Amino acid sequence: TTYFAETVSILQVLGNNGDIPEMILVGIENTDRYRDLLPKTRTGKETGIENFIGFLRNELFPWVDKHYRTEPYKLIMGPQAGSNFVFYTLFKYPNLFNGGIGQNPFRWSSGRAFIIDLAKKKLNGEADFKQTLYFTCNDNDGLERKGSNVMAEFESFLKKNKQPAFHFQVNYIRNWTEFLAPFDLRRGLKFLFRNYKLKMDQNFRGLPDIKKHFSRLSKELGYRVKIPEHILTHAYDRLKRTDSNAAMIVLSSLRQIYPKSVNGLWRTADLQVAKGNLKQAIRTLEKAMIYMGSDSGMVTNRIKRLKRTMTSSAAFFLRKSIDKDGLASATQLLQQLDNQKSIYFSEIELNALGYIYINGKRYPEAEWVFRIAIDKYPQSANLHDSLGELMFLTKRYHMSAQLYQKVLELAPNSPNAKKMLEQIRNIRK
């Protein structure tokens, strides 16, 4: 039970982080572990291990495949006596599992030579042995120390007879004082799937790199690996700051592969809000609520804020006026909005609107919005910083410097203001 609970937790964390694929965990309760899991009895006689393998092959696997969404890839993980079962099945029936995680199988004296002979026959006689094996050795375990010479022989043989498709790793655990040595599942799984995680470095281009990575993984693992939702979500969030076109392609793929993805719908609503399509954004978020079920409080609150924005936000009405009739019309509207108690002026919304115009290279509109915002919030360091950035972008360095000096008056520890003032000084030298 303890091993099972630990495995549930580790699979959940590593799967969500994109370190390993999502998995179906099947725990098999032992009725007689020494009969079913060891290849030989203490006296060297046959055990029931073949019957147990027959149960897996003929009963358990077909049942799981029938009731769950499976792929033709299986791992076997077994601590203690289960480790002997891991080694036995990987080397005698390599088509049964694709890899295994276990502990030192030589703590049991029976079957030591048998396991080594199995490995030698397989590695010497089969050039395409594709298994991956990870196991631990605990130097503080008395039984393991007695079999240390056998382990050394076994590891030496694996290293000398290493085949291109066979991979293994041994983790020696030193000075362990508790009764049970750690199974080390987390490290074992990360070794087995060491090529799984997609690295989004500075050369990451977006969807083409994602597809290439998972195509290679599919060949390596032997089945079509579906691009995980969280990979596409993370890629979009990363790309939207540097390459909006690549980000949109990734988001489109996310919506296509996972039409019920709340992450995809939420980010689609973000884009709709940025374009001023608040009604459309609300409909998108209402669709997300259907898929979230009872855990939809965050979406509900956002819908409420958007509805309030549409009825009471000065930034919303000013944007509509600017986009439709220009700044002169918006200036007249501003006077009307100032006199309406039901209308609110939000520092955050006005700042965001200014950046919408900056991103669209509509600099006069951005300046107008920032100056209106500063008039409403004269003590806002953030708004002065935003207008200072706009002045810098439009090469009005003197005005930009004055604004960043004001930022330092309002927020003396602002690192961005100090950095920008240094840049301006270098430009004006």
Side-chain angles (χ1 to χ4, degrees):
T1 303
T2 303
Y3 287 120
F4 188 84
E6 178 188 11
T7 308
V8 169
S9 175
I10 290 173
L11 291 181
Q12 180 80 9
V13 172
L14 294 183
N16 287 344
N17 288 344
D19 292 304
I20 64 173
E22 290 184 325
M23 296 187 185
I24 298 167
L25 176 61
V26 181
I28 308 171
E29 188 174 6
N30 297 134
T31 54
D32 188 337
R33 58 180 173 168
Y34 299 120
R35 178 196 66 192
D36 296 335
L37 303 180
L38 297 180
K40 296 287 184 179
T41 67
R42 294 183 186 278
T43 58
K45 294 182 179 180
E46 299 294 326
T47 63
I49 195 169
E50 290 293 338
N51 289 336
F52 192 65
I53 291 172
F55 157 70
L56 297 181
R57 183 190 287 119
N58 302 321
E59 297 182 49
L60 182 64
F61 291 171
W63 188 92
V64 174
D65 289 337
K66 179 180 178 181
H67 291 87
Y68 294 90
R69 293 180 294 110
T70 60
E71 298 288 357
Y73 187 92
K74 296 181 181 68
L75 297 179
I76 176 72
M77 299 181 283
Q80 301 182 54
S83 298
N84 292 67
F85 186 82
V86 169
F87 280 73
Y88 182 83
T89 52
L90 286 185
F91 288 112
K92 187 169 185 180
Y93 302 105
N95 294 326
L96 202 60
F97 297 102
N98 300 84
I101 299 175
Q103 296 171 314
N104 185 346
F106 304 119
R107 69 189 311 273
W108 280 273
S109 58
S110 58
R112 285 174 179 170
F114 184 69
I115 289 177
I116 290 181
D117 287 343
L118 277 179
K120 287 182 176 180
K121 288 178 182 178
K122 187 57 61 177
L123 292 175
N124 288 332
E126 188 171 323
D128 194 28
F129 186 64
K130 295 183 178 180
Q131 265 55 30
T132 305
L133 176 62
Y134 178 91
F135 56 100
T136 61
C137 294
N138 176 17
D139 68 355
N140 204 42
D141 183 295
L143 292 177
E144 288 197 32
R145 284 200 302 271
K146 289 181 179 179
S148 60
N149 59 327
V150 183
M151 172 53 72
E153 177 191 347
F154 181 69
E155 186 180 3
S156 175
F157 168 76
L158 292 182
K159 289 178 179 178
K160 289 179 181 178
N161 294 271
K162 195 173 185 309
Q163 297 181 6
F166 172 60
H167 303 280
F168 78 96
Q169 187 175 93
V170 187
N171 177 25
Y172 285 91
I173 299 171
R174 309 297 185 187
N175 303 316
W176 187 260
T177 57
E178 297 179 24
F179 176 65
L180 291 178
F183 194 21
D184 209 20
L185 267 176
R186 180 185 296 273
R187 196 175 303 176
L189 285 166
K190 293 187 79 168
F191 170 70
L192 264 64
F193 295 102
R194 60 202 173 280
N195 299 323
Y196 187 84
K197 194 174 184 69
L198 174 63
K199 296 179 181 178
M200 298 184 190
D201 56 19
Q202 60 181 2
N203 298 318
F204 178 67
R205 297 173 300 157
L207 192 61
D209 287 344
I210 295 174
K211 287 185 174 180
K212 182 179 179 180
H213 176 79
F214 283 94
S215 175
R216 180 180 56 76
L217 270 181
S218 297
K219 291 180 181 178
E220 181 180 320
L221 299 180
Y223 70 95
R224 189 182 72 84
V225 181
K226 187 177 181 181
I227 301 172
E229 177 189 345
H230 63 269
I231 292 293
L232 293 167
T233 302
H234 179 53
Y236 169 77
D237 290 343
R238 185 183 185 280
L239 289 166
K240 70 179 181 181
R241 298 188 295 269
T242 57
D243 190 337
S244 58
N245 290 331
M248 289 304 302
I249 293 172
V250 170
L251 182 60
S252 176
S253 182
L254 171 61
R255 293 292 310 277
Q256 182 179 3
I257 299 174
Y258 299 98
K260 297 181 180 180
S261 165
V262 175
N263 284 320
L265 291 166
W266 182 274
R267 283 155 179 79
T268 300
D270 281 343
L271 293 172
Q272 292 164 342
V273 170
K275 293 178 180 179
N277 300 326
L278 271 62
K279 287 184 179 180
Q280 195 175 3
I282 289 172
R283 288 195 293 270
T284 299
L285 291 169
E286 287 173 342
K287 186 183 294 185
M289 286 180 61
I290 297 172
Y291 304 131
M292 289 190 75
S294 59
D295 187 25
S296 58
M298 183 173 66
V299 180
T300 302
N301 290 335
R302 191 178 187 196
I303 290 173
K304 288 179 180 178
R305 289 196 300 271
L306 289 176
K307 288 181 176 179
R308 181 169 179 255
T309 299
M310 292 173 63
T311 58
S312 308
S313 168
F316 176 74
F317 291 120
L318 290 172
R319 179 180 183 179
K320 288 181 65 177
S321 180
I322 293 170
D323 292 348
K324 183 179 179 183
D325 300 312
L327 288 176
S329 173
T331 301
Q332 293 180 354
L333 176 62
L334 178 63
Q335 296 175 352
Q336 299 174 23
L337 296 176
D338 277 332
N339 298 321
Q340 295 184 33
K341 293 182 179 180
S342 61
I343 299 298
Y344 69 89
F345 287 81
S346 164
E347 175 186 351
I348 294 174
E349 290 180 11
L350 289 168
N351 192 59
L353 178 57
Y355 274 102
I356 287 172
Y357 287 132
I358 284 180
N359 293 334
K361 300 189 184 308
R362 298 172 64 181
Y363 299 136
E365 289 89 343
E367 181 176 350
W368 187 87
V369 170
F370 286 139
R371 292 196 180 281
I372 293 301
I374 288 174
D375 182 63
K376 297 293 181 183
Y377 297 94
Q379 300 303 308
S380 169
N382 188 44
L383 289 172
H384 284 86
D385 189 290
S386 299
L387 184 55
E389 180 181 342
L390 176 60
M391 295 297 108
F392 185 86
L393 286 172
T394 53
K395 299 183 179 180
R396 289 176 280 179
Y397 300 122
H398 179 71
M399 296 180 68
S400 180
Q402 289 181 330
L403 285 158
Y404 281 118
Q405 288 290 357
K406 182 63 176 179
V407 171
L408 289 177
E409 291 178 20
L410 298 169
N413 296 321
S414 170
N416 187 60
K418 295 176 182 178
K419 182 185 76 172
M420 293 304 297
L421 283 169
E422 181 65 26
Q423 286 189 36
I424 294 169
R425 280 192 289 270
N426 292 334
I427 289 172
R428 295 167 72 181
K429 283 181 179 179

